[in-house]
Amino acid sequence: MIALAGWLVGCADSDAPAACHRVAGGALSADGLSLRLGSRVAGASLHPGPVGRCDAGPAPAAAFLDAHAALLALPPELRPRQVDVHWMIARGAARRIEVHAESRSVLLAGGNEPLSRTVWLHELGHVWAAGARPPGRLGRSVLAAVDEGFADYYAALVNRSPRVGGRDELRDLERPPPPAAAAWAELALAPEGFDPHRLGHGLAASLWALEPANTGLLLDLHTGLASDATYTGVPDTPGAVIEELARRIPNRSRARFEQAVAAWAPAEVLGGLASVDSARAAPGKMRGAHGP
C-alpha cells in the first residue's frame, strides 16, 4: 500500500454527514459508488463490510463525498460502472489508499486525512482499467508500471492539469523524474520488491507529451488494459508483455502507444522489440520534456 496525503475538496468534516444526507439520502451509496465500513483482507480475499450510513462519522462521510465528487467529474465514457470503497480498520497509521485487484475495488485505511481530487481520480482509473494481468513476475511488474502510468495520465486528463497526487506525493507530468535506471534494474533483478510508481510517472509523462488534451489515446489504452483475455503463452519478459498489450490496443492508437513506450523504456529492457524500435527511430511529435 502507498501512503498518500492530500486535502479535502468537498466540505469541512463537521459538515460532512449533513452534506452526505443531501447527496445520498442516508446511506453511503449513490451514482454507482458505495463506501463499506469494517472490510478486511485475508490473503488475496476481500471480506466486505456493510454499506455505511452518513451518520457513521464525519471522516467516512467526507471520504464518500470526495470520492463521489471525483466520480461525477468523469465523463460517462471514462467512468467505472460500479466502485466499492472499503473503509479498512487500521488505527494509528497514516492515510493509505490502493486498489484491490481481485475485487476491483478501492481500499482506504489509516488516519482521517482527506485525499485530493487527483488521488481519487488516479484510483478510479485503476478500477476502470482493471483486466487480466500476466502470471509471471516480470510481466506483472512491467504492467504494474504501465497501470500506474495509465492512472496518472487518466487523472491528469480528467483534471486538465499535468499535476497529480497529494501535497506530499505531487507528480508533474511535464517535469518527469530523470530516467530511472535503478528502477528498471530493480524490475529485472528483484521484481517481488519492485515499486512501479516512479516508472509509471515516466510513462504518464510520455503519454501526456503525446496527447495532453483529447481522450482517444486514453480510451484505446484502456481497451488494451481492461481486456480479460489471459496472457497464457506470452513469455515472461517486459518486451513480450508490452508487445502483447500493444496488440490489444486499437490500430488507431497502437503506434502512439509504441512511441510513448520508446520514449520511456530503455531498448535493452524491451529486448529488441521491433515495433518499439521502429517508433524509437521515427521522428517524434512529443511536447515538453520529451521534444519540441
Side-chain angles (χ1 to χ4, degrees), residues 95 118 147 150 162 215:
R95 171 65 93 206
T118 57
D147 280 328
F150 173 88
T215 58

Side-chain angles (χ1 to χ4, degrees), residues 117-291:
R117 173 73 58 87
T118 57
V119 168
W120 280 111
L121 289 172
H122 176 102
E123 300 306 328
L124 293 175
H126 279 309
V127 172
W128 185 53
R133 295 295 181 265
R137 293 187 304 167
L138 282 173
R140 262 199 327 271
S141 293
V142 76
L143 274 202
V146 173
D147 280 328
E148 292 301 329
F150 173 88
D152 273 357
Y153 181 49
Y154 173 92
L157 277 181
V158 172
N159 205 46
R160 301 182 182 181
S161 168
R163 286 167 287 282
V164 300
R167 286 177 298 192
D168 298 335
E169 297 259 351
L170 190 65
R171 299 178 295 284
D172 189 334
L173 304 194
E174 292 184 347
R175 292 175 176 79
W184 285 109
E186 184 181 63
L187 183 151
L189 300 174
E192 288 299 338
F194 168 67
D195 178 358
H197 294 84
R198 185 176 181 188
L199 288 184
H201 183 180
L203 177 60
S206 293
L207 294 167
W208 178 265
L210 281 171
E211 185 48 82
N214 299 315
T215 58
L217 178 58
L218 180 81
L219 285 164
D220 289 343
L221 183 50
H222 166 263
T223 297
L225 288 170
S227 169
D228 285 323
T230 70
Y231 282 76
T232 302
V234 177
D236 187 28
T237 67
V241 168
I242 291 290
E243 185 172 35
E244 176 59 28
L245 174 59
R247 286 196 194 102
R248 300 177 183 203
I249 293 172
N251 285 337
R252 65 176 183 171
S253 291
R254 189 174 300 153
R256 285 190 297 165
F257 169 68
E258 290 167 347
Q259 187 180 353
V261 169
W264 169 59
E268 56 271 22
V269 170
L270 297 181
L273 184 57
S275 58
V276 173
D277 285 345
S278 252
R280 203 185 303 278
K285 294 185 179 179
M286 302 184 76
R287 305 169 60 251
H290 296 267

Side-chain angles (χ1 to χ4, degrees), residues 78-126:
L78 304 183
R79 190 178 298 172
R81 282 193 290 268
Q82 174 64 38
V83 179
D84 286 323
V85 177
H86 297 270
W87 185 278
M88 314 294 286
I89 299 172
R91 299 184 185 281
R95 171 65 93 206
R96 299 167 77 83
I97 188 169
E98 68 174 4
V99 166
H100 184 256
E102 289 76 11
S103 64
R104 303 183 182 184
S105 57
V106 179
L107 309 182
L108 188 61
N112 294 332
E113 302 90 349
L115 301 170
S116 75
R117 173 73 58 87
T118 57
V119 168
W120 280 111
L121 289 172
H122 176 102
E123 300 306 328
L124 293 175
H126 279 309

